[in-house]
Amino acid sequence: MQDLGGLAAAGVALLVGLLGWTQARATNRRSDFMAITDRLDKEVATERVQRKLLTRAYLDLLGWARRVGPDTPAGPAPEPPVDLDLTPWHH
């Protein structure tokens, strides 16, 4: 009987340890997931701002191109918005 009680206590301790370990892993996964989604949210917001600025610069350039014909003196092209990050296109 005493051996049975010891085995039962060891089994319960093993089960509690296993449940605690899986709970800790689940908590770590949740915090990792939250960190990843927060970072992606920030990157998407930045991307949206840059996309709007790039669209505005493209539309300004398109309007400039429509005003300037093949036999019209071109004049300077419009400058891109100051906030537009063009580093991906710089070599």
Side-chain angles (χ1 to χ4, degrees):
M1 240 355 169
Q2 197 173 13
D3 290 337
L4 189 59
L7 285 174
V12 167
L14 182 63
L15 183 62
V16 167
L18 183 63
L19 289 174
W21 178 72
T22 55
Q23 183 65 33
R25 284 193 57 196
T27 301
N28 287 342
R29 284 185 184 155
R30 270 193 296 273
S31 66
D32 290 349
F33 178 76
M34 292 303 292
I36 290 169
T37 54
D38 289 345
R39 180 176 172 191
L40 287 174
D41 287 343
K42 289 175 188 172
E43 288 178 2
V44 165
T46 303
E47 177 73 23
R48 282 188 182 137
V49 169
Q50 287 297 307
R51 196 169 286 183
K52 285 179 184 177
L53 291 169
L54 186 60
T55 302
R56 179 75 255 155
Y58 175 77
L59 291 174
D60 288 346
L61 192 59
L62 188 61
W64 173 81
R66 285 186 180 150
R67 285 191 303 273
V68 176
D71 51 357
T72 313
E79 289 294 321
V82 178
D83 298 343
L84 181 61
D85 181 16
L86 297 173
T87 52
W89 290 277
H90 290 207
H91 294 115

